[in-house]
Amino acid sequence: MKIANVIAYVLVLLGALNWGLYGFFNFNLVSIFGGARSVFAIIIYTLIALSAVWLIISPCISNGKLDMSDKDK
């Protein structure tokens, strides 16, 4: 589950960075890789949204802890 959490954090940070760039400079970071409504952009936006959902439900299924430790259980 640690790998899923790390990937989710990276994707959510990418989404936050994209929103910040869009808000401050009207620059969409994802759209430079094929357009704003390209298949690639839709996949990236979907993965970012699923990552946010994962970070919301992950503590619920792991007894209230978001596991980012290096220790194996």
Side-chain angles (χ1 to χ4, degrees):
M1 189 150 59
K2 176 186 172 191
I3 294 172
N5 289 341
V6 170
I7 292 170
Y9 271 119
V10 169
L11 287 172
V12 167
L13 288 174
L14 175 68
L17 177 65
N18 190 47
W19 273 105
L21 288 172
Y22 189 76
F24 288 125
F25 306 112
N26 199 22
F27 177 74
N28 189 345
L29 183 65
V30 177
S31 70
I32 65 172
F33 298 107
R37 292 298 297 172
S38 68
V39 173
F40 175 77
I42 292 169
I43 290 170
I44 294 298
Y45 292 138
T46 303
L47 288 174
I48 290 171
L50 291 174
S51 295
V53 171
W54 172 254
L55 290 177
I56 292 169
I57 66 169
S58 179
C60 297
I61 61 176
S62 64
N63 296 326
K65 296 180 182 176
L66 192 58
D67 184 23
M68 295 295 290
S69 65
D70 288 333
K71 296 183 286 184
D72 290 330
K73 293 183 180 181

